[in-house]
Amino acid sequence: MVAAPERDGRDVLLITVDTLRHDATGFSGAGRVETPHVDRLAAAGRVFPVAHAHAVVTLPSHASILTGLYPYQHGIRDNAGFVLPPEPATLATLLQAAGYRTAAFVSAFPLDRRFGLARGFEVYDDQYEGYAGAGFTPPERPGNETVSRALAWWDAHRGERRFLWVHVFTPHFPYEPGEPFASRYRDAPYFGDVALTDDQLAPLLEQVLDGPDGEALVIYTSDHGEALGEHGEQTHGLFAYEATLRVPLVIAARGLVEPARDDTAARHVDLLPTVLHLLRRDPPGGLPGRSLFAEPPPGHDRGSYFEALSASLNLGWAPLRGVLAERRKWIDLPIPELYDLAADPEEADNLARRRPEEGRRLDRLLPRESRWPPPREEIGEDEARRLAALGYLAASAPSRDDWGPEDDPKRLIDLRERLDESFRLAREGRLDEAIAATRALLAERPDMPTVYSYLTTFLLQRGDLEAALATMREAHRLGLAQPDLTRQLGLSLVTAGRAEEALAVLEPLAARLGDAETLTSLALARAASGDLGAAERTLASALERDPDSARVHETLAFVLLEAGRFGDAAAAAGRAVELDPGRADAWNNLGVARFNLDQPAAARQAFGRALDAAPGRLDALLY
């Protein structure tokens, strides 16, 4: 039951925990982990144990939460190469228009503002840089830091209507819970991370459970779950079984939402209309979801679309799309799957061959999209590097429109897991083993562009420049080199002192794409060839396309240093670190510029920041 609110517009708090399984809470009853703080929220609110996402990676799933749209409607289909278009209203834009103060505090790169989710938030705090380690350690802001900054904003705007979104990344791989949770969950580090997350969220949850904000409308969910070996998948992103597609969901608001367990099938697309309904506001027209606290109209179909497209977009495998309806799950693949989730929650018994008519009925519920593959932007070098550090694929596979059983991810899971294992080996510093593993993969499947990118990265990390160049050239020979690998080839040729060869690689790519990433790489090649004027003009073109690119400003500072223009170099480097405080090269360039401007104290401070971002950096230590 929902009581009428006493005032027009409660505070709204959205909490999303990245990679949280539906059974990874105490209130789920699975008994796998202790989460006392969120259990208190669940006891005070409505728990929806049958809730599902529509995608199994971070960015498209959060886009569905904020827009109330399926991925094929809002346009974001993967973590790489997609940006939310300006047309869809979001929960932030709608509440901001209603007079709310709005803020978001996110913890990792997949939700960087460049992907379009910042629209409608007057504050969008995505300062996760500065927390990254060396090598393959991904940039991630600790959950307690994110919560602390979010609470500071929340307290500063008490007395105003507030919408706050807090995103915590802690349960995402790699699992490193720290003590006391590492010892308590020694054999299950993922659940140790979940317990740590609950502890990190405690100050925020206590504020709305015990503090002065007890009437706030609180939504607690995750973007997707995590496979811990189910169906051969170790993390997430490949399949859409319940381990990764089903999510926890709690909605609480004192005096407004009656505490209960509600077995209604809930979906991420229902969250926006639910919040607006509880605030007595009308949702935009045409949304596929509905309020979870309103009676469905007669004949309303509670089916739910879902997809897992990363392997198709990045590796060229068959795209995975499906639908949930009446506790049945249909997965549209070359080898189709049909499950009765009520009788078979582990999805062990594929009924597709035995119940073909039921499969056809569910298949008719799938949207028939007009374009495949979906329109995707070029993946920048910075974007690919950051996502790869998190274990996400970030390359564009050659376009296809037909697939056979040999392309079904169920038959290729071993290849994907071996690719992920190579990344884990590299992250642990076992580069020789990682290189051997990726070479073995290429021997079996030489048509996978991502493997060439992984092998190149590992070889460069080991310092084997010639082998990396040979790998990139082989990808080019086979027609498998995507723009990010072509850019890397050009940059590696610069490093090898072959500027003219680098220009021959980068100039055609820059003429074709004209993007800031490629122009910046071309500028480095032109500078290496001795043409500093051409390098500066190229960077000016790059800044016209992306004036807020930290990499472009960083590179401009380097070129200006080479030209002896130290004041201009200091300004460019200063802008770079303002945009991205975690860039060691930019801090180092700033230090060199300040040293040459006879500002030793300021130079020392800049070199110190370079060492904070990249401990052991020899040139900064020397200065």
Side-chain angles (χ1 to χ4, degrees):
M1 178 181 295
V2 180
E6 297 178 0
R7 58 189 173 91
D8 181 19
R10 295 181 177 227
D11 293 326
V12 179
L13 171 61
L14 170 64
I15 301 172
T16 59
V17 179
D18 213 288
T19 323
L20 182 65
R21 289 171 58 108
H22 69 94
D23 58 0
T25 61
F27 68 80
S28 72
R32 309 181 76 168
V33 61
E34 294 180 1
T35 55
H37 303 291
V38 75
D39 289 353
R40 289 188 60 215
L41 179 72
R46 186 76 60 91
V47 176
F48 294 88
V50 187
H52 286 89
H54 310 292
V56 289
V57 289
T58 300
L59 180 61
S61 197
H62 278 94
S64 289
I65 291 171
L66 291 174
T67 65
L69 298 171
Y70 288 129
Y72 68 89
Q73 295 174 313
H74 59 60
I76 297 183
R77 317 301 291 276
D78 193 21
N79 282 337
F82 295 94
V83 176
L84 185 70
E87 295 81 17
T90 70
L91 192 54
T93 62
L94 292 167
L95 292 182
Q96 186 179 56
Y100 278 73
R101 305 301 297 268
T102 58
F105 294 80
V106 302
S107 298
F109 176 72
L111 298 178
D112 189 278
R113 66 176 56 248
R114 72 182 72 184
F115 300 121
L117 300 191
R119 191 157 45 83
F121 290 105
E122 60 184 273
V123 172
Y124 194 87
D125 185 330
D126 56 354
Q127 296 300 312
Y128 45 82
E129 294 292 354
Y131 297 100
F136 293 92
T137 302
E140 170 190 343
R141 178 163 58 188
N144 59 309
E145 295 279 352
T146 300
V147 168
S148 176
R149 293 170 71 100
L151 272 175
W153 180 89
W154 183 259
D155 290 338
H157 294 283
R158 178 162 284 108
E160 303 174 86
R161 288 186 295 181
R162 299 164 291 182
F163 169 44
L164 172 63
W165 169 30
V166 179
H167 162 260
V168 179
F169 200 67
T170 307
H172 196 283
F173 180 85
Y175 318 129
E176 298 173 336
E179 296 298 348
F181 305 106
S183 296
R184 195 177 302 167
Y185 296 91
R186 188 180 307 278
D187 298 325
Y190 166 77
F191 292 101
D193 261 354
V194 172
L196 170 60
T197 301
D198 187 69
D199 189 67
Q200 292 171 333
L201 287 171
L204 185 63
L205 293 171
E206 288 168 359
Q207 192 92 338
V208 294
L209 288 168
D210 305 319
D213 303 308
E215 289 192 350
L217 170 57
V218 184
I219 303 95
Y220 174 95
T221 190
S222 68
D223 52 352
H224 54 75
E226 184 82 321
L228 301 172
E230 287 104 328
H231 296 270
E233 187 174 20
Q234 299 303 318
T235 54
H236 62 272
L238 181 61
F239 294 138
Y241 298 113
E242 294 294 272
T244 58
L245 192 66
R246 192 171 163 192
V247 295
L249 175 60
V250 178
I251 300 175
R254 186 185 305 164
L256 180 61
V257 174
E258 181 179 335
R261 176 187 173 93
D262 191 329
D263 290 326
T264 298
R267 309 165 298 176
H268 275 163
V269 294
D270 296 324
L271 295 183
L272 184 148
T274 295
V275 170
L276 296 178
H277 170 75
L278 293 175
L279 298 177
R280 296 193 298 180
R281 297 184 178 277
D282 294 327
L287 296 180
R290 68 167 184 88
S291 171
L292 295 169
F293 295 92
E295 289 297 322
H300 179 77
D301 177 26
R302 294 294 296 156
S304 182
Y305 170 82
F306 61 86
E307 63 184 34
L309 301 183
S310 292
S312 184
L313 292 167
N314 297 290
L315 296 173
W317 301 355
L320 187 159
R321 301 161 69 242
V323 65
L324 286 156
E326 301 170 355
R327 298 297 287 149
R328 302 290 196 275
K329 178 186 282 187
W330 171 253
I331 301 175
D332 179 31
L333 280 170
I335 305 172
E337 298 172 69
L338 172 65
Y339 298 102
D340 180 344
L341 296 178
D344 177 25
E346 303 300 321
E347 297 163 289
D349 185 14
N350 183 1
L351 303 172
R353 287 188 177 182
R354 281 172 279 158
R355 301 183 186 176
E357 183 53 43
E358 187 172 350
R360 285 191 289 269
R361 178 176 62 83
L362 292 172
D363 189 70
R364 286 193 288 270
L365 298 178
L366 286 173
R368 305 302 169 186
E369 298 174 87
S370 59
R371 295 183 63 186
W372 182 267
R376 193 182 199 190
E377 298 185 2
E378 293 288 351
I379 300 171
E381 176 189 343
D382 181 62
E383 184 179 353
R385 175 181 59 82
R386 292 171 187 255
L387 289 171
L390 295 168
Y392 287 118
L393 302 174
S396 295
S399 177
R400 298 177 57 185
D401 58 8
D402 66 304
W403 299 269
E406 70 279 4
D407 302 307
D408 192 301
K410 294 187 289 298
R411 290 193 171 178
L412 298 169
I413 176 66
D414 178 63
L415 294 176
R416 172 59 197 273
E417 291 305 318
R418 286 163 60 191
L419 186 60
D420 288 348
E421 176 62 18
S422 73
F423 173 78
R424 287 190 279 269
L425 290 168
R427 188 180 176 278
E428 294 169 5
R430 298 157 64 184
L431 285 170
D432 289 344
E433 294 174 71
I435 289 165
T438 47
R439 281 183 166 150
L441 277 172
L442 283 180
E444 292 181 38
R445 287 289 297 251
D447 59 342
M448 291 169 56
T450 301
V451 187
Y452 290 93
S453 295
Y454 271 50
L455 178 56
T456 297
T457 300
F458 301 156
L459 289 167
L460 291 173
Q461 185 77 9
R462 192 175 68 176
D464 197 340
L465 180 58
E466 288 303 319
L469 287 169
T471 299
M472 290 184 277
R473 285 183 170 129
E474 178 64 7
H476 271 269
R477 185 184 71 80
L478 296 172
L480 296 171
Q482 300 301 309
D484 62 315
L485 198 63
T486 303
R487 281 190 292 265
Q488 184 59 64
L489 175 58
L491 292 171
S492 296
L493 287 167
V494 169
T495 302
R498 306 174 196 173
E500 295 305 318
E501 291 181 56
L503 290 171
V505 169
L506 293 170
E507 284 177 342
L509 186 67
R512 178 165 64 89
L513 299 181
D515 64 304
E517 287 273 1
T518 306
L519 289 169
T520 303
S521 299
L522 176 59
L524 284 169
R526 285 176 169 165
S529 72
D531 195 343
L532 296 178
E536 187 176 352
R537 290 191 296 273
T538 303
L539 290 168
S541 297
L543 284 174
E544 289 177 3
R545 290 156 175 79
D546 189 356
D548 294 326
S549 168
R551 181 176 179 246
V552 179
H553 287 283
E554 173 187 280
T555 306
L556 178 59
F558 167 76
V559 171
L560 293 169
L561 284 175
E562 292 292 299
R565 292 164 54 189
F566 302 118
D568 293 337
R575 179 59 178 153
V577 297
E578 178 185 338
L579 290 164
D580 185 351
R583 300 192 74 90
D585 283 350
W587 282 113
N588 197 67
N589 291 341
L590 183 58
V592 174
R594 287 174 170 172
F595 179 80
N596 282 280
L597 290 169
D598 197 23
Q599 300 172 3
R604 188 179 303 113
Q605 181 185 39
F607 291 131
R609 293 296 299 272
L611 288 168
D612 289 342
R617 184 183 173 117
L618 293 179
D619 52 353
L621 284 168
L622 177 63
Y623 278 114

Short mmCIF file of all heavy atoms in Angstrom, two decimals, residues 130-140 613 615:
data_model
loop_
_atom_site.label_atom_id
_atom_site.label_comp_id
_atom_site.label_asym_id
_atom_site.label_seq_id
_atom_site.Cartn_x
_atom_site.Cartn_y
_atom_site.Cartn_z
N GLY A 130 43.61 9.11 -9.49
CA GLY A 130 44.43 9.30 -8.30
C GLY A 130 44.35 8.13 -7.35
O GLY A 130 45.12 8.05 -6.39
N TYR A 131 43.42 7.21 -7.61
CA TYR A 131 43.30 6.02 -6.77
C TYR A 131 43.86 4.78 -7.46
O TYR A 131 43.84 3.70 -6.90
CB TYR A 131 41.83 5.76 -6.41
CG TYR A 131 41.21 6.88 -5.61
CD1 TYR A 131 40.40 7.83 -6.22
CD2 TYR A 131 41.46 6.99 -4.25
CE1 TYR A 131 39.83 8.86 -5.49
CE2 TYR A 131 40.90 8.02 -3.51
CZ TYR A 131 40.09 8.95 -4.13
OH TYR A 131 39.54 9.97 -3.41
N ALA A 132 44.32 4.94 -8.71
CA ALA A 132 44.80 3.78 -9.47
C ALA A 132 46.20 3.40 -9.05
O ALA A 132 47.02 4.25 -8.70
CB ALA A 132 44.78 4.08 -10.96
N GLY A 133 46.48 2.11 -9.09
CA GLY A 133 47.83 1.62 -8.85
C GLY A 133 48.60 1.54 -10.15
O GLY A 133 48.21 2.08 -11.17
N ALA A 134 49.70 0.83 -10.11
CA ALA A 134 50.55 0.71 -11.29
C ALA A 134 50.10 -0.46 -12.14
O ALA A 134 49.28 -1.28 -11.74
CB ALA A 134 52.00 0.55 -10.85
N GLY A 135 50.70 -0.52 -13.36
CA GLY A 135 50.46 -1.67 -14.22
C GLY A 135 49.03 -1.77 -14.65
O GLY A 135 48.46 -0.85 -15.21
N PHE A 136 48.39 -2.94 -14.37
CA PHE A 136 47.04 -3.20 -14.85
C PHE A 136 45.99 -2.96 -13.76
O PHE A 136 44.86 -3.39 -13.90
CB PHE A 136 46.94 -4.64 -15.36
CG PHE A 136 47.76 -4.87 -16.59
CD1 PHE A 136 49.06 -5.32 -16.50
CD2 PHE A 136 47.24 -4.62 -17.84
CE1 PHE A 136 49.82 -5.52 -17.62
CE2 PHE A 136 48.00 -4.82 -18.99
CZ PHE A 136 49.29 -5.27 -18.87
N THR A 137 46.37 -2.30 -12.66
CA THR A 137 45.40 -2.02 -11.61
C THR A 137 44.43 -0.95 -12.10
O THR A 137 44.86 0.12 -12.53
CB THR A 137 46.10 -1.55 -10.33
OG1 THR A 137 47.02 -2.55 -9.92
CG2 THR A 137 45.09 -1.30 -9.22
N PRO A 138 43.13 -1.19 -12.04
CA PRO A 138 42.18 -0.23 -12.60
C PRO A 138 41.95 0.98 -11.69
O PRO A 138 42.11 0.89 -10.47
CB PRO A 138 40.89 -1.06 -12.70
CG PRO A 138 41.01 -2.08 -11.62
CD PRO A 138 42.48 -2.41 -11.55
N PRO A 139 41.60 2.13 -12.29
CA PRO A 139 41.24 3.29 -11.48
C PRO A 139 39.87 3.08 -10.86
O PRO A 139 38.91 2.77 -11.54
CB PRO A 139 41.23 4.44 -12.49
CG PRO A 139 40.95 3.79 -13.81
CD PRO A 139 41.53 2.40 -13.72
N GLU A 140 39.80 3.22 -9.55
CA GLU A 140 38.54 3.01 -8.84
C GLU A 140 38.58 3.82 -7.55
O GLU A 140 39.53 3.70 -6.76
CB GLU A 140 38.37 1.52 -8.52
CG GLU A 140 37.22 1.22 -7.57
CD GLU A 140 37.23 -0.23 -7.09
OE1 GLU A 140 37.92 -1.07 -7.70
OE2 GLU A 140 36.55 -0.51 -6.08
N ALA A 613 51.19 9.93 -8.90
CA ALA A 613 50.42 9.25 -9.94
C ALA A 613 51.16 8.05 -10.51
O ALA A 613 50.54 7.07 -10.94
CB ALA A 613 50.07 10.23 -11.06
N PRO A 615 54.40 6.13 -9.10
CA PRO A 615 55.54 5.95 -8.18
C PRO A 615 56.74 5.32 -8.89
O PRO A 615 56.60 4.42 -9.71
CB PRO A 615 54.97 5.00 -7.12
CG PRO A 615 53.49 5.20 -7.17
CD PRO A 615 53.18 5.49 -8.60
#
